[in-house]
Amino acid sequence: MGEWIPEPLPERTGSVGVPADTATADPADRVTLDESAGMAFPGALESMTPAQCGALILHDVFHYSFTEIAEITERTPPACRQPASSARRRVRALRPLEVPAAQQAVLVRNFRRVWEAQDIGTLIGLLGPDATFTTDGGGLAEAALQPVEGGVRIAHHLAALAGRTPADLVILERTVKGRPGLMARWEGATVAVYAFDVVDDRIKSIWAVRNPEKLRPWTGVGGEGTGAG
């Protein structure tokens, strides 16, 4: 029901299925956590052919050799390697230019403050004109069934959300999938996690995970810190 977002992680790890300090024979064949498990990755998969998607997942995520993939798909190893390389280039092309973490943190902090203040004008200035806000409630929590598109629409949507949130809801700055993000807590439980993509000093994408099943990794994550207001 509604939009699907991958489960957010409260801290950065290495490649999917590979410890952070593990090296492979060819580093170019690795897809890092930011690329393969990032919030935008499902959209990248949807743009690929079945051959590209299958080769990328089997090799870069599950670490099958191209010989093994060839046996599974009844193709030759070179015929499996080529779509994997094409898929990898597609993923990298979709990644925004890297913005320094400190710069992202400042932008996310300002976003939190003006969101809590329901300052629509300043929110619009922090959001890109073609920004997208996507929420995943999994049918278990309130969520928009379709992404909200456009900075102006998102700002009004966020202000409306802030206007009807409980007074004791606390929004904290936390690292989400290795990047600055936000965590919302209410009555001692994590009720939402927000991840961001930043492009050219403005927020390009916001992913809000409200599905309680996907928030289980956040159980026990510290709730101390600066809250709403």
Side-chain angles (χ1 to χ4, degrees), residues 28 33-34 38 59 80 92 94 103 131 134 137 147 158 160 167-168 201-202:
L33 178 65
D34 283 344
H59 184 268
C80 296
R92 289 170 180 157
L94 289 174
Q103 185 176 334
T134 306
L158 290 170
D168 55 347
D201 298 326
R202 301 181 83 175

Side-chain angles (χ1 to χ4, degrees), residues 42-61:
L45 290 180
E46 291 178 358
S47 69
M48 298 177 190
T49 66
Q52 290 173 335
C53 183
L56 179 72
I57 295 297
L58 288 173
H59 184 268
D60 289 44
V61 177

Side-chain angles (χ1 to χ4, degrees), residues 97-165:
L97 293 176
E98 190 66 25
V99 176
Q103 185 176 334
Q104 291 188 51
V106 170
L107 184 56
V108 170
R109 181 175 299 117
N110 291 337
F111 171 86
R112 177 183 65 80
R113 290 172 177 169
V114 298
W115 181 17
E116 292 173 335
Q118 302 177 47
D119 184 345
I120 294 177
T122 306
L123 271 175
I124 292 173
L126 295 177
L127 296 162
D130 58 346
T132 302
F133 180 85
T134 306
T135 309
D136 179 353
L140 303 173
E142 181 181 357
L145 297 181
Q146 300 291 332
V148 181
E149 299 182 346
V152 174
R153 291 186 61 199
I154 293 171
H156 284 273
H157 178 74
L158 290 170
L161 289 177
R164 63 175 187 263
T165 56

